[in-house]
Amino acid sequence: MQINPELLEKIVTEVLAEMEAGARAGEVSSTVSASTVATSSVATSTVAEEPAGLLLQEKGAASRGSDPKEIVLAVTPAFGTTFKTTIVKIPHSAVLRQVFAGAEEEGLHVRAIRVYHTADVAFMAHHAARISGSGIGIGILSRGTAVIHQRDLNPLSNLELFPQSPVIDLPTFRAIGKNAAKYAKGETPTPVPTKNDPMARPRYQGLAALLHNKEAAFQERSKAPQELSVSFE
């Protein structure tokens, strides 16, 4: 992805201005949405280029599971809806396919939920782990940041963290599903290898901040996590 430096600077300036103004989440959303359409070909193209293929339907409040062969995967309200690809344009449909496939290779299955009360991937994954029958949960933000968590850990601790969303590719998402399943079976897998691109932070920091602000604007702190049915078309 090529990012225009002038555009990136403009996005960062916009985000910082919003933070300084202390705008409410909803106000941030509308402001960012309008300015994004007007000024950011990067963000708009991210949505426009997403092929069809994923249907996420809410089925009511997510409950605590008892199946030791399940892993609970938590996504945000914007995942697969407002945003349909990661920060490097990997379709969310492909992300879920790979995570599901990785878990299935180990004989486990994934139950998906949508979390409204937080956009912090650590707390999302921890909540998923708490209601998972196996005690293992995964959290994935729309831009691709991911965490594997365990029920009895502190929310800010985790089993594995994947903070650099620009370097997370499909094989990594599959490996995340696979390792989560191994933890659920009581194994101690080798952590998923992560790539390190020293240029990823300067290249994507501004865009990541913009996406985070927009994703956080969809929070509803009083709304309970919802069970999702996942269909691949």
Side-chain angles (χ1 to χ4, degrees), residues 18-31:
E18 289 172 352
M19 293 174 65
E20 290 173 357
R24 293 180 305 169
E27 294 170 344
V28 171
S29 175
S30 61
T31 302

Side-chain angles (χ1 to χ4, degrees), residues 106 148 159-162 171-172 174-194:
E106 294 296 325
I148 303 175
L159 294 172
E160 294 188 49
L161 169 65
F162 307 88
T172 301
R174 194 182 191 99
I176 289 172
K178 193 175 185 70
N179 262 19
K182 288 185 175 182
Y183 287 118
K185 293 192 295 184
E187 299 178 14
T188 306
T190 301
V192 176
T194 55

Side-chain angles (χ1 to χ4, degrees), residues 15 20 29 49 75-76 81 89 91 106 115 126 144 193 207 216 226:
V15 171
E20 290 173 357
S29 175
E49 294 178 9
V75 298
T76 60
T81 54
K89 298 187 179 181
E106 294 296 325
V115 171
H126 186 251
L207 182 57
Q226 300 291 301

Side-chain angles (χ1 to χ4, degrees), residues 62-68 70 72 111 128 130-135 151:
S63 58
R64 185 182 299 275
S66 58
D67 183 352
E70 79 168 9
V72 175
R111 176 163 64 100
R130 287 175 53 207
I131 66 169
S132 167
S134 68
R151 177 189 300 155

Side-chain angles (χ1 to χ4, degrees), residues 8 11 87 143 165-166 203-213:
L8 184 57
I11 292 172
I87 198 169
R143 64 178 183 272
S165 54
R203 287 185 65 198
Y204 289 96
Q205 188 173 22
L207 182 57
L210 175 67
L211 296 177
H212 174 76
N213 273 15

Side-chain angles (χ1 to χ4, degrees), residues 135-137 147-150 153 157-161 179-180 183 191:
I136 299 297
V147 171
I148 303 175
H149 224 307
Q150 189 171 27
L153 292 178
S157 299
N158 57 69
L159 294 172
E160 294 188 49
L161 169 65
N179 262 19
Y183 287 118

